[in-house]
Amino acid sequence: MSSRRDVHPPAGPAAVSPGLDPLAEVRAEGDPRTDVYLTGTVFLDIIFTGLDSAPVRGTESWARGMGSSPGGVANMATALARLGLRTSLAAAFGDDKYGEYCWEVLEQGEGIDLSLSRTVPGWHSPVTVSMAYEGERTMVSHGHEAPPPDFAFDGKHAPGCPPPSRACIASLVPGRREGWLGCAAGRGSRIFADVGWDESGRWDPADLADLEHCEAFLPNAEEAMRYTRTDCPRAAARKLADLVPLAVVTLGSKGAYAVDGRTGETAEVPAIAVQALDPTGAGDVFVAGFVTGTLADWPLADRLSFAGLSAALSVQEFGGSLAAPGWAEIAAWWQQVRGRGAGAAAGSSAAGSGGSSAAEGLCRQYAFLDEVLPAPGASTGSTGAADAARPGGPAPMARAVPTIGFRRPA
């Protein structure tokens, strides 16, 4: 047996905290109330950072930093909600303190609609321990598959056909068809998909049959090249564009490359150089940024740039879900970049260590943010440090904490 919790969304099925709405210009009467629907497994993530090297057998390693936060599909859901999209998540939650914590953080803290989610009595939450070092991560996970929901695939309930939404995000599993994707696409949802690592080693393009329902496919370079039997990620993207209207290949520290198979347009953007604390969930944040720009009808290059910026800001914080940036963080970054760019143009030392050309390049690449962000001094409605510093401003954005279940002071 499973049960749904008594949920009380602040305002409708997919409420979002007041603030910048990136889709304000495209919303119309009769549009779905949900912007993005997604389903998957929620983990409790425990992240260790500040490791000098990988753990060595027979030794004990001490980490200089630690954080806990909801993980798995919660990474994507939180990133979407923090960018102002009305997000609905269908997932199973463990009947334990971990599951209770994840539910509360996502629903109450992030404004994610969990009315299609459920608590499974006697089922414990999946857990992932992530160890970050040398700019990469190693993960150890434990969990059991949740029992199926009481309701069948009847076209009305998750994991059957989801409610009407502008978009759905799916993580494809090689060799497994996702029956709900065709139903969702038939209702007009735009499907964005990434893919997991093929443990079988087949890398058979036939395993990506669900791409027939998708508008965009966003693998990393290694996945893209293996599926297309190419040795160049750009060639892989062009080949994938024969299978899906929009192919986006992430290039790690080199940025991202995209091909629009409908128009032949291509775009490539460099990555933003940052000091990474924890890369957990960066790929999910990239997808969330790209989905946001796509639903807002931005040009392809701007979508790629925004996705890369979102991911770059996320890796400077602990954890996956709670490291995702909001609009206040994006606005603060843009203000700093514009300041450096202005100083560089004037020959000032304000250009910083990146040099004048780098600062001016970022100013050109991200000039579209001037049309997206509020005028200087106006609140974004997000919960970042810039807003929190003002009298009466919002509370600071929730971040991963070393442990959960702190007793609140009396």
Side-chain angles (χ1 to χ4, degrees), residues 2 9 18 88 107 136-137 145 149 164 204 206 215 224-225 253 282 286 312 326 330 351 354 371:
S2 64
S88 177
E107 184 194 41
E136 256 302 339
R137 65 172 190 251
E145 187 173 352
D204 185 351
E215 172 167 332
M225 290 188 292
S253 61
F286 180 96
I330 293 167
E371 301 298 321

Side-chain angles (χ1 to χ4, degrees), residues 41-45 92-94 96 98 123-128 142-144:
T41 303
V42 174
F43 288 76
L44 174 72
D45 279 358
F93 286 77
D96 51 21
Y98 293 167
W123 181 67
H124 74 75
S125 299
V127 175
T128 291
H142 171 72
H144 303 280

